[in-house]
Amino acid sequence: MDFFILSFAVTNGLLLGGIYGGVALGLSLIFGVLRVVNFAHGSFLMLSLYISFWLWSIFGLDPYLSALINIPAMFMLGFAVQALIISPLIKRESALVVEPLSALLLTAGIFLVLDNAALMAFGPDVRAVQTSYYMPSLMLGGIPVNSQRLIGAVAAVIVAAALSWWLRTSHLGRSIRATAQNRDAAAMSGINVPFVYAVTFGIGCGILGLFGALMSTFIPISPSIGLSFGIKSFIVVVLGGLGSIPGCIIGGIVIGVFEAVASQFVTATSAAIGSLALFVLILIFRPAGIMGRA
Amino acid sequence: MNTKTIPLERKDVEKTTSLPLRPSSLVAVVVLGVLALVPALVSDSFFIHSLIMILFFAYMSTAWNFVCGYVGQLSLGHTMFSGAGGYCSVLLFTQLGVSPWIGMIFGGFLAAFLSVLIGLPTFRLKGPYFTLTMIACAEILRIWVENTNDFYGIPLKGAEGLVVPSMGDDVWAFQFTSKIPYFYIILIMLAVAIFATRLMERSKLGYCLKAIRGDRDAAEALGINPTRYTTLAFAISAFMTALGGSFYAQFFRYINPERNMGLELSIDMAVMSIIGGQGTVLGPLLGAAILVPIAEAARGTLGGSFLGLHLVIYGLALIACVLYFPKGVIHPLGRFFSRLFGLKETRG
């Protein structure tokens, strides 16, 4: 194997993996705090990709600038979904179950609605954003680096760092962590648990708003794109440990590099099967993931 | 925590015992009996086709319910069994000339074997972890078949799918020019599946599965071996699902990875059980009877203009059901009818 091709594959895998990690951050945060596996995670990403696409296509807004609208829009959507749909369920089941399966069903319902509503509204066509300017690939040590992906990967690391810093230092962040540790004790200390849940869900979706904007520059957009990213996010989050923020980025990078390097030796499909098999094996043998607490 | 869960379980037990068991079998016999007469009365081909689809989904959902409804695990990967079964019977027929009647039994055993292989390590996973594992396993199989044209001389034909060559009216080849034989075949399959569920519910297996659903650790402490019973039920469920997959392949004379192994069919099976009432004998039939006509109407009247409309409705129905009828529509409906029949009985 040519060293140049291999190092190119590793760089590409690193960048793509960083983006996978960034996309999975919201899933991990929501699971860590609400103990809800958000089956509709990929659908929210799909939606935010479409927001950026339509802002560009109708108003000619630059995809990077559209993040300014995309993030608050996705935050509000997530906040509303949690407050209106999932919250009644959690209230009903709070005393009985820790990891409610019905919440998974509920988000599966949201996934069905969002994906197919997008299919109805936008049709099955694949769309792409074309920026008016050309973003050249950077040359780092003789290896060409796709600048859009570099921006995405760097953003993922920054968001992850900012999120853990904010969770550690801010008042709301502390409330979120307290709620994640013990819902009842947090409620008794005067934390508004339903509000914290809704904010957490909102942040999880808001992060997707950012990545929808960043990824719309290099990803072909279609209504069915959500599921593949959703499944990939599950893999990343399980690998890194459900609920762990640094684990999320590391899990993303492991999967990205694994797929990029593996597809140099075997077909890309075998690499995809490999990462799914890895996912199953980790769930069976080490459900807490690489970085998660056992 | 513990003090809170105990009263709920007691209520659970009360509910299941207060539900009269005999009327439900009566309902099953009446519904299936009336359905058996339908082809004699209606000859509209689209109507019969829609009925076949309702019965097919009711059958698949009953097969899903056999393990998932009773043991309380959500599998969204059951299509790997229908896919494996369908491919097995079609390949045996096209390659070796084995009758699909025999091929579907082979497919059933193949799926049962697959289910034991996958079920043994994964069934102890809890809640969402089990669901994700099943999705991943089904996706592995689907992606593999979709990208494999030839597997050691077996022509899988990848994403293109397999076509069953037309043989005209041939009972041995499981092919009929009229839709009515298919109707009776799936009706009998459904009746058998419902009967099997009924039998299981009152057997030791059924009681053990319910105990495991209630509290796995407590069941284990009472001497129930959860792995043994769940694996057994899983294998039976996989066997039935595979027969359904073979039926589907014979009915459409076509099978492909996306439709027969994809996530959508898995979700359909689960959603119908959940909306109808999982862990009940007739819940899946009720769920299919509610949901499939919506899909057929969306396809029949609106044509292709609204792709995915029926799935939007499925999603909304699922959300509404989880929020308002967490045990499925069959429970409020059953209470309503038992009150109705109770009145009648006192009058008579």
Side-chain angles (χ1 to χ4, degrees):
Chain A
M1 177 57 61
D2 190 351
F3 176 74
F4 173 76
I5 294 177
L6 202 60
S7 54
F8 177 69
V10 170
T11 326
N12 226 347
L14 274 174
L15 297 185
L16 213 55
I19 294 169
Y20 288 161
V23 168
L25 274 175
L27 187 71
S28 189
L29 179 71
I30 291 169
F31 182 83
V33 179
L34 283 79
R35 314 303 286 178
V36 166
V37 173
N38 181 12
F39 204 83
H41 191 72
S43 313
F44 285 118
L45 177 70
M46 180 270 300
L47 218 56
S48 87
L49 283 167
Y50 269 106
I51 292 177
S52 279
F53 173 80
W54 289 115
L55 284 173
W56 168 80
S57 149
I58 298 172
F59 302 106
L61 193 65
D62 186 85
Y64 287 110
L65 280 178
S66 72
L68 294 176
I69 299 171
N70 209 332
I71 296 171
M74 290 305 294
F75 176 85
M76 283 188 284
L77 179 71
F79 191 97
V81 163
Q82 167 61 28
L84 300 177
I85 302 177
I86 304 176
S87 174
L89 181 80
I90 291 185
K91 238 173 256 167
R92 192 179 70 206
E93 297 199 332
S94 61
L96 308 172
V97 247
V98 191
E99 285 166 21
L101 200 56
S102 13
L104 177 74
L105 278 178
L106 207 54
T107 53
I110 297 169
F111 148 77
L112 279 177
V113 171
L114 286 182
D115 269 31
N116 292 290
L119 183 64
M120 275 166 68
F122 310 137
D125 314 348
V126 175
R127 297 163 203 268
V129 171
Q130 269 129 22
T131 43
S132 51
Y133 44 87
Y134 173 65
M135 291 179 78
S137 287
L138 305 170
M139 293 298 281
L140 291 182
I143 298 162
V145 175
N146 181 309
S147 43
Q148 287 109 319
R149 291 184 186 196
L150 183 63
I151 293 173
V154 170
V157 176
I158 293 175
V159 169
L163 187 64
S164 18
W165 178 78
W166 181 77
L167 283 176
R168 225 173 317 123
T169 54
S170 75
H171 179 71
L172 192 55
R174 259 196 294 273
S175 320
I176 290 177
R177 282 189 300 132
T179 313
Q181 276 177 10
N182 190 327
R183 178 161 52 193
D184 299 332
M188 276 184 266
S189 331
I191 291 171
N192 182 351
V193 172
F195 177 74
V196 164
Y197 276 179
V199 168
T200 308
F201 212 98
I203 293 171
C205 290
I207 296 172
L208 287 180
L210 173 69
F211 282 94
L214 297 181
M215 286 162 71
S216 66
T217 52
F218 61 90
I219 287 261
I221 304 163
S222 72
S224 56
I225 194 166
L227 188 63
S228 55
F229 270 99
I231 290 179
K232 197 138 282 174
S233 297
F234 288 137
I235 300 177
V236 166
V237 166
V238 164
L239 194 64
L242 276 157
S244 154
I245 288 169
C248 204
I249 299 291
I250 291 168
I253 288 173
V254 168
I255 285 295
V257 172
F258 173 77
E259 283 193 352
V261 173
S263 57
Q264 299 301 315
F265 296 97
V266 292
T267 59
T269 13
S270 309
I273 291 174
S275 65
L276 280 169
L278 189 66
F279 171 71
V280 172
L281 290 177
I282 285 178
L283 271 176
I284 292 173
F285 292 111
R286 191 170 158 71
I290 300 172
M291 300 283 289
R293 294 148 293 172
Chain B
M1 278 290 276
N2 277 333
T3 48
K4 270 182 185 168
T5 50
I6 288 164
L8 179 101
E9 297 212 358
R10 201 168 286 159
K11 216 166 72 190
D12 253 4
V13 172
E14 266 169 29
K15 257 187 192 161
T16 45
T17 47
S18 75
L19 257 180
L21 290 165
R22 279 171 74 196
S24 78
S25 5
L26 196 71
V27 169
V29 171
V30 169
V31 168
L32 295 173
V34 168
L35 277 170
L37 297 175
V38 166
L41 307 169
V42 190
S43 57
D44 180 33
S45 159
F46 179 70
F47 184 75
I48 297 287
H49 179 92
S50 301
L51 270 186
I52 292 175
M53 286 332 284
I54 294 176
L55 293 176
F56 168 73
F57 279 109
Y59 172 80
M60 294 300 266
S61 195
T62 304
W64 183 90
N65 182 49
F66 192 88
V67 62
C68 297
Y70 282 90
V71 89
Q73 291 269 44
L74 176 71
S75 157
L76 290 181
H78 253 61
T79 41
M80 70 182 131
F81 306 131
S82 69
Y87 267 85
C88 183
S89 73
V90 170
L91 284 169
L92 281 176
F93 180 62
T94 54
Q95 299 305 305
L96 301 173
V98 178
S99 163
W101 294 103
I102 300 164
M104 69 198 270
I105 304 293
F106 274 110
F109 281 114
L110 175 72
F113 174 71
L114 197 65
S115 78
V116 172
L117 215 62
I118 292 168
L120 273 180
T122 57
F123 237 108
R124 64 190 172 84
L125 295 172
K126 277 180 190 148
Y129 299 98
F130 176 76
T131 309
L132 294 178
T133 315
M134 292 302 286
I135 293 176
C137 289
E139 282 293 288
I140 288 174
L141 189 64
R142 182 186 66 85
I143 295 172
W144 178 72
V145 174
E146 215 158 64
N147 292 285
T148 309
N149 280 319
D150 187 274
F151 181 66
Y152 293 111
I154 304 169
L156 289 175
K157 292 212 175 147
E160 189 188 320
L162 298 172
V163 175
V164 184
S166 174
M167 310 291 275
D169 245 336
D170 189 347
V171 179
W172 189 78
F174 203 132
Q175 285 186 24
F176 310 96
T177 43
S178 154
K179 284 192 192 294
I180 290 172
Y182 290 108
F183 174 84
Y184 282 111
I185 291 167
I186 193 68
L187 187 67
I188 291 166
M189 283 168 75
L190 175 64
V192 170
I194 288 177
F195 183 66
T197 310
R198 180 107 193 85
L199 222 58
M200 180 275 285
E201 198 181 44
R202 295 176 114 191
S203 72
K204 192 180 173 196
L205 176 62
Y207 290 122
C208 291
L209 290 183
K210 281 185 194 164
I212 296 163
R213 176 176 63 184
D215 189 332
R216 193 188 165 96
D217 296 333
E220 206 163 357
L222 285 173
I224 296 172
N225 182 348
T227 316
R228 197 177 136 197
Y229 287 104
T230 47
T231 311
L232 177 62
F234 201 40
I236 297 171
S237 169
F239 185 87
M240 293 202 288
T241 313
L243 296 192
S246 298
F247 173 83
Y248 191 87
Q250 292 301 321
F251 181 57
F252 287 102
R253 290 203 293 105
Y254 176 64
I255 186 166
N256 78 353
E258 205 197 330
R259 266 208 299 187
N260 297 58
M261 292 179 175
L263 188 58
E264 197 179 298
L265 183 59
S266 286
I267 291 181
D268 281 348
M269 286 155 79
V271 165
M272 280 165 202
S273 275
I274 289 156
I275 288 177
Q278 51 175 327
T280 61
V281 177
L282 293 179
L285 176 60
L286 181 66
I290 295 170
L291 290 181
V292 182
I294 297 173
E296 290 293 313
R299 216 169 285 146
T301 55
L302 299 167
S305 55
F306 281 113
L307 279 167
L309 173 66
H310 73 281
L311 287 173
V312 173
I313 298 171
Y314 281 19
L316 291 173
L318 179 61
I319 292 171
C321 222
V322 172
L323 287 178
Y324 302 110
F325 305 109
K327 286 184 167 179
V329 188
I330 199 163
H331 282 280
L333 211 67
R335 241 173 285 138
F336 174 74
F337 275 109
S338 62
R339 209 176 298 154
L340 208 70
F341 284 120
L343 269 176
K344 268 186 186 169
E345 270 169 20
T346 49
R347 270 183 201 165

PDB file of all heavy atoms in Angstrom, chain B residues 303-328:
ATOM      1  N   GLY B 303     -52.256   7.884  -5.579  1.00  0.00           N
ATOM      2  CA  GLY B 303     -51.232   7.437  -6.502  1.00  0.00           C
ATOM      3  C   GLY B 303     -49.844   7.754  -5.976  1.00  0.00           C
ATOM      4  O   GLY B 303     -49.600   7.737  -4.778  1.00  0.00           O
ATOM      5  N   GLY B 304     -48.948   8.044  -6.864  1.00  0.00           N
ATOM      6  CA  GLY B 304     -47.575   8.305  -6.452  1.00  0.00           C
ATOM      7  C   GLY B 304     -47.335   9.765  -6.104  1.00  0.00           C
ATOM      8  O   GLY B 304     -46.204  10.165  -5.862  1.00  0.00           O
ATOM      9  N   SER B 305     -48.418  10.575  -6.092  1.00  0.00           N
ATOM     10  CA  SER B 305     -48.185  12.007  -5.913  1.00  0.00           C
ATOM     11  C   SER B 305     -47.722  12.344  -4.505  1.00  0.00           C
ATOM     12  O   SER B 305     -47.052  13.336  -4.293  1.00  0.00           O
ATOM     13  CB  SER B 305     -49.453  12.792  -6.249  1.00  0.00           C
ATOM     14  OG  SER B 305     -50.518  12.307  -5.473  1.00  0.00           O
ATOM     15  N   PHE B 306     -48.107  11.505  -3.543  1.00  0.00           N
ATOM     16  CA  PHE B 306     -47.652  11.776  -2.184  1.00  0.00           C
ATOM     17  C   PHE B 306     -46.866  10.592  -1.653  1.00  0.00           C
ATOM     18  O   PHE B 306     -47.377   9.770  -0.911  1.00  0.00           O
ATOM     19  CB  PHE B 306     -48.830  12.087  -1.263  1.00  0.00           C
ATOM     20  CG  PHE B 306     -49.335  13.478  -1.423  1.00  0.00           C
ATOM     21  CD1 PHE B 306     -50.584  13.721  -1.940  1.00  0.00           C
ATOM     22  CD2 PHE B 306     -48.545  14.562  -1.052  1.00  0.00           C
ATOM     23  CE1 PHE B 306     -51.051  15.006  -2.091  1.00  0.00           C
ATOM     24  CE2 PHE B 306     -48.999  15.854  -1.200  1.00  0.00           C
ATOM     25  CZ  PHE B 306     -50.255  16.079  -1.721  1.00  0.00           C
ATOM     26  N   LEU B 307     -45.615  10.525  -2.060  1.00  0.00           N
ATOM     27  CA  LEU B 307     -44.731   9.486  -1.558  1.00  0.00           C
ATOM     28  C   LEU B 307     -44.618   9.635  -0.050  1.00  0.00           C
ATOM     29  O   LEU B 307     -44.427  10.736   0.450  1.00  0.00           O
ATOM     30  CB  LEU B 307     -43.342   9.660  -2.164  1.00  0.00           C
ATOM     31  CG  LEU B 307     -43.116   9.122  -3.567  1.00  0.00           C
ATOM     32  CD1 LEU B 307     -41.809   9.653  -4.103  1.00  0.00           C
ATOM     33  CD2 LEU B 307     -43.108   7.611  -3.557  1.00  0.00           C
ATOM     34  N   GLY B 308     -44.746   8.531   0.642  1.00  0.00           N
ATOM     35  CA  GLY B 308     -44.476   8.583   2.072  1.00  0.00           C
ATOM     36  C   GLY B 308     -45.617   9.092   2.923  1.00  0.00           C
ATOM     37  O   GLY B 308     -45.476   9.177   4.129  1.00  0.00           O
ATOM     38  N   LEU B 309     -46.759   9.396   2.311  1.00  0.00           N
ATOM     39  CA  LEU B 309     -47.885   9.915   3.106  1.00  0.00           C
ATOM     40  C   LEU B 309     -48.312   8.902   4.163  1.00  0.00           C
ATOM     41  O   LEU B 309     -48.518   9.248   5.321  1.00  0.00           O
ATOM     42  CB  LEU B 309     -49.068  10.252   2.188  1.00  0.00           C
ATOM     43  CG  LEU B 309     -50.353  10.632   2.918  1.00  0.00           C
ATOM     44  CD1 LEU B 309     -50.168  11.933   3.671  1.00  0.00           C
ATOM     45  CD2 LEU B 309     -51.527  10.752   1.960  1.00  0.00           C
ATOM     46  N   HIS B 310     -48.410   7.623   3.752  1.00  0.00           N
ATOM     47  CA  HIS B 310     -48.907   6.652   4.732  1.00  0.00           C
ATOM     48  C   HIS B 310     -47.927   6.496   5.892  1.00  0.00           C
ATOM     49  O   HIS B 310     -48.324   6.244   7.015  1.00  0.00           O
ATOM     50  CB  HIS B 310     -49.230   5.315   4.059  1.00  0.00           C
ATOM     51  CG  HIS B 310     -48.036   4.514   3.658  1.00  0.00           C
ATOM     52  ND1 HIS B 310     -47.305   4.774   2.529  1.00  0.00           N
ATOM     53  CD2 HIS B 310     -47.452   3.447   4.236  1.00  0.00           C
ATOM     54  CE1 HIS B 310     -46.327   3.899   2.427  1.00  0.00           C
ATOM     55  NE2 HIS B 310     -46.381   3.095   3.447  1.00  0.00           N
ATOM     56  N   LEU B 311     -46.630   6.689   5.617  1.00  0.00           N
ATOM     57  CA  LEU B 311     -45.668   6.563   6.717  1.00  0.00           C
ATOM     58  C   LEU B 311     -45.756   7.749   7.674  1.00  0.00           C
ATOM     59  O   LEU B 311     -45.516   7.603   8.866  1.00  0.00           O
ATOM     60  CB  LEU B 311     -44.250   6.408   6.170  1.00  0.00           C
ATOM     61  CG  LEU B 311     -43.995   5.040   5.560  1.00  0.00           C
ATOM     62  CD1 LEU B 311     -42.637   4.992   4.889  1.00  0.00           C
ATOM     63  CD2 LEU B 311     -44.074   3.959   6.624  1.00  0.00           C
ATOM     64  N   VAL B 312     -46.105   8.934   7.135  1.00  0.00           N
ATOM     65  CA  VAL B 312     -46.346  10.072   8.010  1.00  0.00           C
ATOM     66  C   VAL B 312     -47.506   9.737   8.950  1.00  0.00           C
ATOM     67  O   VAL B 312     -47.432   9.965  10.164  1.00  0.00           O
ATOM     68  CB  VAL B 312     -46.672  11.338   7.192  1.00  0.00           C
ATOM     69  CG1 VAL B 312     -47.096  12.468   8.117  1.00  0.00           C
ATOM     70  CG2 VAL B 312     -45.478  11.769   6.372  1.00  0.00           C
ATOM     71  N   ILE B 313     -48.566   9.134   8.380  1.00  0.00           N
ATOM     72  CA  ILE B 313     -49.723   8.777   9.207  1.00  0.00           C
ATOM     73  C   ILE B 313     -49.341   7.701  10.222  1.00  0.00           C
ATOM     74  O   ILE B 313     -49.715   7.775  11.389  1.00  0.00           O
ATOM     75  CB  ILE B 313     -50.891   8.321   8.309  1.00  0.00           C
ATOM     76  CG1 ILE B 313     -51.304   9.481   7.396  1.00  0.00           C
ATOM     77  CG2 ILE B 313     -52.068   7.869   9.152  1.00  0.00           C
ATOM     78  CD1 ILE B 313     -52.288   9.112   6.324  1.00  0.00           C
ATOM     79  N   TYR B 314     -48.558   6.697   9.786  1.00  0.00           N
ATOM     80  CA  TYR B 314     -48.083   5.682  10.731  1.00  0.00           C
ATOM     81  C   TYR B 314     -47.346   6.351  11.886  1.00  0.00           C
ATOM     82  O   TYR B 314     -47.534   6.011  13.046  1.00  0.00           O
ATOM     83  CB  TYR B 314     -47.096   4.714  10.055  1.00  0.00           C
ATOM     84  CG  TYR B 314     -47.700   3.644   9.197  1.00  0.00           C
ATOM     85  CD1 TYR B 314     -48.996   3.747   8.703  1.00  0.00           C
ATOM     86  CD2 TYR B 314     -46.968   2.512   8.878  1.00  0.00           C
ATOM     87  CE1 TYR B 314     -49.529   2.765   7.910  1.00  0.00           C
ATOM     88  CE2 TYR B 314     -47.498   1.516   8.086  1.00  0.00           C
ATOM     89  CZ  TYR B 314     -48.770   1.646   7.592  1.00  0.00           C
ATOM     90  OH  TYR B 314     -49.290   0.664   6.798  1.00  0.00           O
ATOM     91  N   GLY B 315     -46.469   7.298  11.540  1.00  0.00           N
ATOM     92  CA  GLY B 315     -45.672   7.969  12.566  1.00  0.00           C
ATOM     93  C   GLY B 315     -46.557   8.717  13.545  1.00  0.00           C
ATOM     94  O   GLY B 315     -46.380   8.605  14.760  1.00  0.00           O
ATOM     95  N   LEU B 316     -47.522   9.455  13.011  1.00  0.00           N
ATOM     96  CA  LEU B 316     -48.436  10.210  13.883  1.00  0.00           C
ATOM     97  C   LEU B 316     -49.244   9.251  14.759  1.00  0.00           C
ATOM     98  O   LEU B 316     -49.433   9.494  15.954  1.00  0.00           O
ATOM     99  CB  LEU B 316     -49.376  11.081  13.039  1.00  0.00           C
ATOM    100  CG  LEU B 316     -48.710  12.262  12.325  1.00  0.00           C
ATOM    101  CD1 LEU B 316     -49.697  12.942  11.393  1.00  0.00           C
ATOM    102  CD2 LEU B 316     -48.167  13.259  13.341  1.00  0.00           C
ATOM    103  N   ALA B 317     -49.706   8.139  14.144  1.00  0.00           N
ATOM    104  CA  ALA B 317     -50.476   7.160  14.914  1.00  0.00           C
ATOM    105  C   ALA B 317     -49.621   6.569  16.025  1.00  0.00           C
ATOM    106  O   ALA B 317     -50.088   6.376  17.155  1.00  0.00           O
ATOM    107  CB  ALA B 317     -50.988   6.056  13.986  1.00  0.00           C
ATOM    108  N   LEU B 318     -48.353   6.313  15.697  1.00  0.00           N
ATOM    109  CA  LEU B 318     -47.448   5.741  16.703  1.00  0.00           C
ATOM    110  C   LEU B 318     -47.255   6.718  17.865  1.00  0.00           C
ATOM    111  O   LEU B 318     -47.334   6.346  19.036  1.00  0.00           O
ATOM    112  CB  LEU B 318     -46.104   5.407  16.052  1.00  0.00           C
ATOM    113  CG  LEU B 318     -45.031   4.822  16.967  1.00  0.00           C
ATOM    114  CD1 LEU B 318     -45.507   3.522  17.563  1.00  0.00           C
ATOM    115  CD2 LEU B 318     -43.736   4.604  16.203  1.00  0.00           C
ATOM    116  N   ILE B 319     -47.026   7.994  17.530  1.00  0.00           N
ATOM    117  CA  ILE B 319     -46.830   9.007  18.570  1.00  0.00           C
ATOM    118  C   ILE B 319     -48.078   9.097  19.449  1.00  0.00           C
ATOM    119  O   ILE B 319     -48.010   9.036  20.683  1.00  0.00           O
ATOM    120  CB  ILE B 319     -46.523  10.379  17.929  1.00  0.00           C
ATOM    121  CG1 ILE B 319     -45.159  10.350  17.239  1.00  0.00           C
ATOM    122  CG2 ILE B 319     -46.534  11.474  18.993  1.00  0.00           C
ATOM    123  CD1 ILE B 319     -44.852  11.570  16.412  1.00  0.00           C
ATOM    124  N   ALA B 320     -49.247   9.182  18.798  1.00  0.00           N
ATOM    125  CA  ALA B 320     -50.496   9.304  19.554  1.00  0.00           C
ATOM    126  C   ALA B 320     -50.703   8.091  20.443  1.00  0.00           C
ATOM    127  O   ALA B 320     -51.124   8.204  21.597  1.00  0.00           O
ATOM    128  CB  ALA B 320     -51.668   9.469  18.585  1.00  0.00           C
ATOM    129  N   CYS B 321     -50.369   6.918  19.897  1.00  0.00           N
ATOM    130  CA  CYS B 321     -50.592   5.691  20.641  1.00  0.00           C
ATOM    131  C   CYS B 321     -49.683   5.591  21.861  1.00  0.00           C
ATOM    132  O   CYS B 321     -50.128   5.231  22.942  1.00  0.00           O
ATOM    133  CB  CYS B 321     -50.337   4.512  19.708  1.00  0.00           C
ATOM    134  SG  CYS B 321     -51.546   3.271  19.919  1.00  0.00           S
ATOM    135  N   VAL B 322     -48.396   5.922  21.662  1.00  0.00           N
ATOM    136  CA  VAL B 322     -47.462   5.850  22.791  1.00  0.00           C
ATOM    137  C   VAL B 322     -47.907   6.814  23.885  1.00  0.00           C
ATOM    138  O   VAL B 322     -47.825   6.510  25.069  1.00  0.00           O
ATOM    139  CB  VAL B 322     -46.024   6.175  22.315  1.00  0.00           C
ATOM    140  CG1 VAL B 322     -45.097   6.305  23.498  1.00  0.00           C
ATOM    141  CG2 VAL B 322     -45.522   5.099  21.382  1.00  0.00           C
ATOM    142  N   LEU B 323     -48.440   7.974  23.488  1.00  0.00           N
ATOM    143  CA  LEU B 323     -48.831   8.972  24.477  1.00  0.00           C
ATOM    144  C   LEU B 323     -50.157   8.631  25.142  1.00  0.00           C
ATOM    145  O   LEU B 323     -50.311   8.805  26.350  1.00  0.00           O
ATOM    146  CB  LEU B 323     -48.912  10.355  23.826  1.00  0.00           C
ATOM    147  CG  LEU B 323     -47.570  10.996  23.475  1.00  0.00           C
ATOM    148  CD1 LEU B 323     -47.784  12.333  22.800  1.00  0.00           C
ATOM    149  CD2 LEU B 323     -46.718  11.189  24.720  1.00  0.00           C
ATOM    150  N   TYR B 324     -51.134   8.173  24.348  1.00  0.00           N
ATOM    151  CA  TYR B 324     -52.484   8.040  24.910  1.00  0.00           C
ATOM    152  C   TYR B 324     -52.927   6.593  25.138  1.00  0.00           C
ATOM    153  O   TYR B 324     -53.723   6.330  26.020  1.00  0.00           O
ATOM    154  CB  TYR B 324     -53.492   8.768  24.021  1.00  0.00           C
ATOM    155  CG  TYR B 324     -53.140  10.227  23.870  1.00  0.00           C
ATOM    156  CD1 TYR B 324     -52.684  10.740  22.665  1.00  0.00           C
ATOM    157  CD2 TYR B 324     -53.221  11.081  24.966  1.00  0.00           C
ATOM    158  CE1 TYR B 324     -52.341  12.077  22.543  1.00  0.00           C
ATOM    159  CE2 TYR B 324     -52.865  12.408  24.856  1.00  0.00           C
ATOM    160  CZ  TYR B 324     -52.430  12.902  23.649  1.00  0.00           C
ATOM    161  OH  TYR B 324     -52.076  14.211  23.541  1.00  0.00           O
ATOM    162  N   PHE B 325     -52.462   5.652  24.307  1.00  0.00           N
ATOM    163  CA  PHE B 325     -52.833   4.246  24.514  1.00  0.00           C
ATOM    164  C   PHE B 325     -51.567   3.399  24.584  1.00  0.00           C
ATOM    165  O   PHE B 325     -51.297   2.627  23.667  1.00  0.00           O
ATOM    166  CB  PHE B 325     -53.708   3.726  23.370  1.00  0.00           C
ATOM    167  CG  PHE B 325     -54.938   4.537  23.113  1.00  0.00           C
ATOM    168  CD1 PHE B 325     -55.044   5.313  21.968  1.00  0.00           C
ATOM    169  CD2 PHE B 325     -55.985   4.528  24.015  1.00  0.00           C
ATOM    170  CE1 PHE B 325     -56.179   6.056  21.724  1.00  0.00           C
ATOM    171  CE2 PHE B 325     -57.121   5.272  23.778  1.00  0.00           C
ATOM    172  CZ  PHE B 325     -57.231   6.044  22.633  1.00  0.00           C
ATOM    173  N   PRO B 326     -50.780   3.558  25.642  1.00  0.00           N
ATOM    174  CA  PRO B 326     -49.479   2.870  25.667  1.00  0.00           C
ATOM    175  C   PRO B 326     -49.596   1.355  25.565  1.00  0.00           C
ATOM    176  O   PRO B 326     -48.648   0.686  25.205  1.00  0.00           O
ATOM    177  CB  PRO B 326     -48.872   3.304  26.992  1.00  0.00           C
ATOM    178  CG  PRO B 326     -49.998   3.850  27.786  1.00  0.00           C
ATOM    179  CD  PRO B 326     -51.019   4.354  26.832  1.00  0.00           C
ATOM    180  N   LYS B 327     -50.764   0.799  25.880  1.00  0.00           N
ATOM    181  CA  LYS B 327     -50.894  -0.660  25.778  1.00  0.00           C
ATOM    182  C   LYS B 327     -51.584  -1.068  24.486  1.00  0.00           C
ATOM    183  O   LYS B 327     -51.915  -2.229  24.307  1.00  0.00           O
ATOM    184  CB  LYS B 327     -51.667  -1.190  26.974  1.00  0.00           C
ATOM    185  CG  LYS B 327     -50.814  -1.171  28.225  1.00  0.00           C
ATOM    186  CD  LYS B 327     -51.564  -1.793  29.358  1.00  0.00           C
ATOM    187  CE  LYS B 327     -50.626  -2.066  30.512  1.00  0.00           C
ATOM    188  NZ  LYS B 327     -51.362  -2.655  31.621  1.00  0.00           N
ATOM    189  N   GLY B 328     -51.840  -0.114  23.626  1.00  0.00           N
ATOM    190  CA  GLY B 328     -52.471  -0.435  22.353  1.00  0.00           C
ATOM    191  C   GLY B 328     -53.960  -0.155  22.379  1.00  0.00           C
ATOM    192  O   GLY B 328     -54.574  -0.042  23.432  1.00  0.00           O
TER     193      GLY B 328
END
